[in-house]
Amino acid sequence: MTDVATVAGVSYQTVSRVINNHPNVATDTRERVLDAMQQLGYRRNIAARALKTRRTGVFGVVSSGSHLFGPTRTLVSIEQAARAKGLFVSLATVDLQHKDEVTSAIEHLLDQGVDGIVVIASHDEAAAAVLESTTQVPVVVAGRTGGEHGLAVAIDQEAGAKVATRHLLDLGHRDVLHLAGPAPWVDARARAVGFRETMAAAGLAPRTLWADDWSAEVGYLAGQELVARVRRRRSSLPTAIFAANDLLALGMMHALADARLKVPDDVSVVGYDDGDGSAHFVPPLTTVAQELEELGYRCVELLLDARDGVATSSSVSVSPRLLVRESTAPPRHPSRVLL
């Protein structure tokens, strides 16, 4: 920093102000300092700064490392929000279904001296690990809210399911099937609750089919089974299907197409996530968009507030929104299609 000050013709303190983005630095002075830093190849000594401030500027994130849209986009949004604040992220990927692995990951991040931790708690075991952990730094649970979690940020999954189901009911559908995600996932259960409550409020019987995972293949197999049951007269064909994510919806639409059923002429379909490509399904998929960028921003803001002693307990809920496309329409065959 002394070398930078000499080249720029300013004081050591002025260089410090520029590095820390202090507002009280003249524009031309700031530019001279930045030019000198570039000329000398200056990089901030993070270790030295941490010794002085007792803060590393690094936050830890515990994630599953899943390829699925929700967890992946949540992780990316947290990293981007942290970087925008001049912070760094240290990542630990584990199987979130095993509490011991989550606990070990938290301990590993604490050993690195992180200023705080976000745990993407898509499974109950991950949330349980957070509740049982004792840390000297703030820990934010991303993916579920509730007073017992202390610091928590989540998409309101029940609200998302309710707006999707209400959209179908407003179109005139009365026989709606929910293809739910795997039960061990917090989001899957919350979406199923939102669906059931909306159907019950309308005086209608909910129909729920639980999937083993979130894949299009499982959605396709579920659709094949539904078609087979209708053909054997063991079930009626619903006029609408609300799938717990876009991939399940994609697989279901494939199975319906194989059975020569048209979406939305014979069956309307709604997905969840607004994942990449959902607008290019045939037909384009009506879906619920999760505001994951907002989720990441709120996680980082809550961590910073907790680190600075502003927040010790807070539960933040982020509202999703419905995107209406061409896969939904009023029921056109109220007497049911016989396959």
Side-chain angles (χ1 to χ4, degrees):
M1 287 176 65
T2 301
D3 292 341
V4 171
T6 299
V7 172
V10 299
S11 67
Y12 180 94
Q13 290 79 7
T14 298
V15 175
S16 177
R17 292 191 189 98
V18 171
I19 290 172
N20 291 288
N21 294 318
H22 197 283
N24 295 333
V25 179
T27 301
D28 61 336
T29 301
R30 185 183 303 275
E31 290 177 353
R32 290 207 315 275
V33 172
L34 292 175
D35 288 342
M37 289 170 61
Q38 183 175 10
Q39 177 184 339
L40 296 173
Y42 172 84
R43 291 290 183 273
R44 180 186 302 193
N45 189 323
I46 300 299
R49 182 174 182 271
L51 287 173
K52 182 177 180 179
T53 65
R54 296 188 178 182
R55 291 178 179 175
T56 62
V58 178
F59 286 112
V61 177
V62 180
S63 176
S64 65
S66 169
H67 66 282
L68 293 171
F69 177 81
T72 299
R73 286 300 306 161
T74 298
L75 174 60
V76 170
S77 67
I78 291 170
E79 193 280 332
Q80 290 176 337
R83 187 152 36 90
K85 294 286 187 179
L87 307 169
F88 299 92
V89 167
S90 180
L91 174 64
T93 58
V94 297
D95 186 344
L96 295 178
Q97 299 183 74
H98 294 89
K99 184 170 62 176
D100 291 344
E101 289 192 25
V102 178
T103 299
S104 177
I106 292 173
E107 293 296 327
H108 171 71
L109 292 170
L110 291 173
D111 288 342
Q112 296 182 31
V114 296
D115 293 338
I117 297 172
V118 178
V119 178
I120 301 176
S122 50
H123 288 79
D124 292 333
E125 291 298 299
V130 174
L131 290 175
E132 295 176 10
S133 68
T134 55
T135 68
Q136 298 301 313
V137 301
V139 178
V140 170
V141 177
R144 59 194 300 163
T145 56
E148 72 274 15
H149 300 299
L151 301 170
V153 183
I155 303 292
D156 191 339
Q157 305 293 350
E158 287 189 24
K162 287 179 178 180
V163 72
T165 308
R166 174 52 57 188
H167 168 66
L168 293 170
L169 298 184
D170 288 345
L171 287 173
H173 295 280
R174 293 297 176 264
D175 187 0
V176 182
L177 170 69
H178 177 44
L179 177 55
W185 286 67
V186 177
D187 291 351
R189 296 199 305 272
R191 293 169 195 174
V193 168
F195 166 74
R196 289 197 304 268
E197 289 183 353
T198 305
M199 293 291 286
L204 300 171
R207 297 171 61 181
T208 303
L209 176 62
W210 290 91
D212 294 331
D213 67 26
W214 298 97
S215 69
E217 178 65 20
V218 166
Y220 179 68
L221 294 174
Q224 286 185 317
E225 177 61 24
L226 174 63
V227 169
R229 289 179 64 83
V230 173
R231 283 176 171 159
R232 294 195 300 266
R233 302 296 193 270
R234 294 184 179 178
S235 178
S236 61
L237 181 70
T239 63
I241 297 171
F242 164 41
N245 80 338
D246 292 346
L247 289 178
L248 288 172
L250 176 61
M252 176 62 71
M253 291 166 70
H254 184 184
L256 294 174
D258 282 354
R260 298 185 179 181
L261 291 167
K262 294 183 179 181
V263 175
D265 293 21
D266 300 316
V267 183
S268 286
V269 177
V270 177
Y272 203 109
D273 276 343
D274 189 32
D276 295 339
S278 63
H280 301 284
F281 288 9
V282 180
L285 183 66
T286 294
T287 188
V288 177
Q290 302 196 68
E291 303 293 347
L292 295 174
E293 289 76 14
E294 177 72 9
L295 176 70
Y297 172 80
R298 292 297 189 92
C299 284
V300 172
E301 286 289 309
L302 193 55
L303 270 180
L304 289 173
D305 286 346
R307 184 195 67 178
D308 298 337
V310 178
T312 57
S313 179
S314 182
S315 183
V316 179
S317 181
V318 178
S319 298
R321 56 192 173 91
L322 181 70
L323 297 176
V324 178
R325 298 190 180 117
E326 297 171 26
S327 67
T328 52
R332 301 174 189 176
H333 300 278
S335 60
R336 302 289 184 271
V337 174
L338 295 180
L339 304 176

